[in-house]
Amino acid sequence: MPKRENLFNSSPFGSSSLIYHLGAFIAVTAWGIAFINTKVLLNAGMSAVEVAVYRFAIAYICIFLICPLPIRARSISDELKFVLAGVCGNSIYFIAENTALKFTLVSNVSLIVAASPILTALLIGFMYKSEKPTRGFMVGSLIAMAGVGCVIFNSSFQLAMNPLGDMLALLAALCWAIYSIVLRPLNATYSVWFITRKTFFYGLITAIPFLALEPSLCGLDVLISPRVLLNLGFLALVCSVVSYVLWTNAIKRIGVVKSGLYIYVSPIVTLVASILYLGEPLSVIGLSGCALIIIGMVLSDKLSRRGSY
């Protein structure tokens, strides 16, 4: 029994809040780079669903080797929460986001998904009346969103409405907000390793059925190519295993909304990665957007002292 309690409640990190802020920053940095890795895999012939399924499978195996026990949650209620976390934080989130790219512009998807911190705060305010987002938080978030828009439209301004694609992007943002909120009660009982393993398990088994909808799957020659293995490995090990553990721990220690603010950093990372690896130019608009994001994040944090989130 003592070993079981330790596996459920143990934390692999220290107690300083600075560590968890750094962890959240590292996680969103990896996710910002992930757009480049995913683009490489899609160009190599893999579908969005294949990328998600193989990524989850590798990540789950790694997490299982680290934390094989316990198998089940402590209650059916908690098990259902893990199912919801797997669906919202893994399968539906990635499939909705990647499918949206087929119907609408990348800029639309990036801008809408970046609204997840605001959606998270609004959902928490709806669920917990004592934790409604302050006016200062909303002002700071809107400034950060304006910065996200500038970063996304760094080299050219292109925006067009597409109901299906935009709704799928909004679904992805809503899924991430729900996932972050679901982690809140689970973090009070279970270890980050257990939570991450269960999340990837349910994310994997709910994503696999979508493979049946694919007209064709990539061949073994594509999967074993060094370029695909390297990028898929980065997505699975760094962007999934490491980043999800860091993100779960950040939510546990510094709160859902404060952690969510780091989502605004992701477009900056993507911009820098695009400049370094894809040779895209940096404009004054893009640079101004980076400044607005940082200012908005600071204001959201400083002006939202009411409520713990």
Side-chain angles (χ1 to χ4, degrees), residues 212-224:
L213 302 177
E214 293 295 306
S216 62
L217 302 178
C218 67
L220 182 61
D221 57 325
V222 173
L223 288 176
I224 63 175

Side-chain angles (χ1 to χ4, degrees), residues 122-133 306-307 309:
L122 291 175
L123 283 176
I124 288 181
F126 177 77
M127 296 172 62
Y128 307 97
K129 300 302 182 182
S130 62
E131 298 186 20
K132 290 184 178 180
R306 191 191 73 199
Y309 295 110

Side-chain angles (χ1 to χ4, degrees), residues 150-185:
C150 291
V151 169
I152 291 172
F153 302 117
N154 169 56
S155 56
S156 63
F157 183 86
Q158 189 179 13
L159 184 66
M161 295 295 293
N162 184 294
L164 178 57
D166 294 342
M167 287 302 294
L168 285 171
L170 183 60
L171 174 61
L174 182 61
C175 280
W176 189 259
I178 294 173
Y179 163 71
S180 297
I181 294 173
V182 170
L183 288 184
R184 192 179 188 182

Side-chain angles (χ1 to χ4, degrees), residues 12-295:
F13 302 99
S15 58
S16 173
S17 63
L18 179 60
I19 295 177
Y20 306 109
H21 283 281
L22 179 61
F25 178 78
I26 292 173
V28 298
T29 297
W31 292 333
I33 299 173
F35 281 102
I36 307 298
N37 301 99
T38 302
K39 185 174 182 177
V40 170
L41 294 175
L42 294 175
N43 291 338
M46 297 181 67
S47 69
V49 175
E50 285 180 293
V51 173
V53 170
Y54 296 143
R55 170 182 178 173
F56 298 155
I58 297 172
Y60 176 73
I61 292 172
C62 292
I63 288 289
F64 184 82
L65 292 175
I66 296 172
C67 178
L69 295 173
I71 298 297
R72 295 185 298 273
R74 290 177 170 176
S75 66
I76 295 178
S77 174
D78 284 353
E79 197 70 41
L80 292 176
K81 290 175 183 175
F82 280 117
V83 174
L84 184 59
V87 170
C88 292
N90 289 111
S91 57
I92 299 302
Y93 170 77
F94 284 106
I95 291 173
E97 182 182 69
N98 293 336
T99 304
L101 295 173
K102 297 181 180 180
F103 299 100
T104 191
L105 301 174
V106 174
S107 55
N108 288 40
V109 177
S110 300
L111 190 59
I112 294 172
V113 171
S116 60
I118 296 178
L119 291 176
T120 302
L122 291 175
L123 283 176
I124 288 181
F126 177 77
M127 296 172 62
Y128 307 97
K129 300 302 182 182
S130 62
E131 298 186 20
K132 290 184 178 180
T134 64
R135 184 177 300 176
F137 172 84
M138 295 304 296
V139 170
S141 294
L142 290 175
I143 292 174
M145 278 297 296
V148 169
C150 291
V151 169
I152 291 172
F153 302 117
N154 169 56
S155 56
S156 63
F157 183 86
Q158 189 179 13
L159 184 66
M161 295 295 293
N162 184 294
L164 178 57
D166 294 342
M167 287 302 294
L168 285 171
L170 183 60
L171 174 61
L174 182 61
C175 280
W176 189 259
I178 294 173
Y179 163 71
S180 297
I181 294 173
V182 170
L183 288 184
R184 192 179 188 182
L186 294 176
N187 266 326
T189 306
Y190 303 96
S191 74
V192 294
W193 296 104
F194 181 79
I195 292 172
T196 306
R197 195 195 78 211
K198 296 290 283 188
T199 299
F200 279 117
F201 173 74
Y202 286 115
L204 176 61
I205 64 174
T206 54
I208 288 177
F210 286 92
L211 285 176
L213 302 177
E214 293 295 306
S216 62
L217 302 178
C218 67
L220 182 61
D221 57 325
V222 173
L223 288 176
I224 63 175
S225 66
R227 186 178 180 85
V228 168
L229 289 176
L230 181 63
N231 285 277
L232 191 58
F234 181 82
L235 287 177
L237 300 179
V238 179
C239 299
S240 297
V241 177
V242 174
S243 295
Y244 271 76
V245 167
L246 291 174
W247 187 256
T248 302
N249 227 8
I251 287 179
K252 184 173 187 176
R253 302 298 181 179
I254 63 178
V256 176
V257 173
K258 282 191 175 182
S259 300
L261 290 175
Y262 283 97
I263 293 293
Y264 295 129
V265 176
S266 186
I268 298 179
V269 177
T270 303
L271 174 64
V272 174
S274 299
I275 293 171
L276 295 177
Y277 296 103
L278 302 180
E280 295 186 0
L282 174 62
S283 67
V284 175
I285 294 178
L287 194 59
S288 300
C290 294
L292 286 174
I293 289 174
I294 296 173
I295 292 172

